[in-house]
Amino acid sequence: MGCCTGRCTLIFLCSLQLLAALERQIFDFLGFQWAPILGNFLQIIVVILGLFGTIQFRPRYIVVYTVWTALWVTWNVFIICFYLEVGGLSKETDLMTFNISMHRSWWREHGPGCIRRVVRPSAPGILEDYSYVSVTGCIIDFQYLEVIHSAIQILLSLIGFVYACYVISIFMEEEDSCRSK
């Protein structure tokens, strides 16, 4: 097989997906977003499986990658709907943290251009470590950064899905031609 084949392209796309998932995993860990952390972890495992299947000529592994890619697109569409508050979803709920904590997206307070101001409570009886965080001056709101991350994941996944189907068909043709000889 040549260098610019569907196989090489799928390896490149899986590598990009791996980098994008690792980047997203880091920022979800910083924001204690447990649901996305779990999804990103599964994405990383399955993309590595897809890479292995592509490199080692294992079409069954690529099929697993292809099925997961469809689920991953669905998850990212949900995240877009969640942050844009479509269909009764609210980004103010603790859904992404499994209702375990009050944490939100890391980008809420640390987005590009954001000025973060911590105000300590002055009323007696309020815990010392409790504070109100005021964020102003953000170039782009955090929900749009989350939507951009999900849109990039969807784009990479859809292209990866197409190339995975192509590579599976090529592998199956080669396997059939070997059997007929």
Side-chain angles (χ1 to χ4, degrees):
M1 294 185 134
C3 186
C4 294
T5 62
R7 184 171 163 257
C8 289
T9 305
L10 184 58
I11 291 170
F12 176 73
L13 284 169
C14 285
S15 300
L16 282 180
Q17 279 185 306
L18 195 57
L19 288 174
L22 287 170
E23 180 266 340
R24 190 173 182 185
Q25 183 79 319
I26 289 167
F27 289 111
D28 286 341
F29 261 118
L30 290 173
F32 299 102
Q33 299 283 307
W34 300 114
I37 287 169
L38 182 61
N40 292 332
F41 176 74
L42 292 172
Q43 170 72 353
I44 291 166
I45 295 299
V46 174
V47 168
I48 290 171
L49 190 68
L51 267 170
F52 179 76
T54 306
I55 293 169
Q56 295 292 320
F57 296 96
R58 308 275 175 123
R60 288 188 179 134
Y61 293 165
I62 302 172
V63 169
V64 171
Y65 165 80
T66 305
V67 171
W68 171 256
T69 299
L71 294 171
W72 186 242
V73 167
T74 306
W75 169 252
N76 280 288
V77 168
F78 168 75
I79 289 179
I80 289 173
C81 292
F82 179 79
Y83 281 108
L84 294 180
E85 298 184 333
V86 175
L89 294 170
S90 173
K91 64 182 174 283
E92 300 304 322
T93 64
D94 293 328
L95 185 63
M96 291 296 177
T97 61
F98 294 133
N99 295 325
I100 296 173
S101 65
M102 297 279 298
H103 295 285
R104 300 282 187 264
S105 171
W106 184 83
W107 295 107
R108 179 181 285 237
E109 297 175 12
H110 302 92
C114 290
I115 300 168
R116 184 175 184 256
R117 197 172 35 215
V118 177
V119 180
R120 301 274 178 216
S122 59
I126 297 179
L127 297 174
E128 187 71 29
D129 62 345
Y130 181 78
S131 61
Y132 173 74
V133 176
S134 169
V135 179
T136 57
C138 295
I139 295 172
I140 184 168
D141 290 335
F142 77 96
Q143 64 265 22
Y144 300 121
L145 285 169
E146 293 287 356
V147 167
I148 290 168
H149 274 99
S150 289
I152 290 169
Q153 293 286 337
I154 289 170
L155 178 68
L156 289 173
S157 293
L158 290 176
I159 297 169
F161 180 87
V162 170
Y163 273 97
C165 290
Y166 173 70
V167 169
I168 290 169
S169 69
I170 295 297
F171 285 178
M172 298 311 259
E173 283 177 14
E174 288 178 2
E175 190 175 297
D176 288 342
S177 68
C178 288
R179 286 185 186 166
S180 64
K181 289 184 178 180

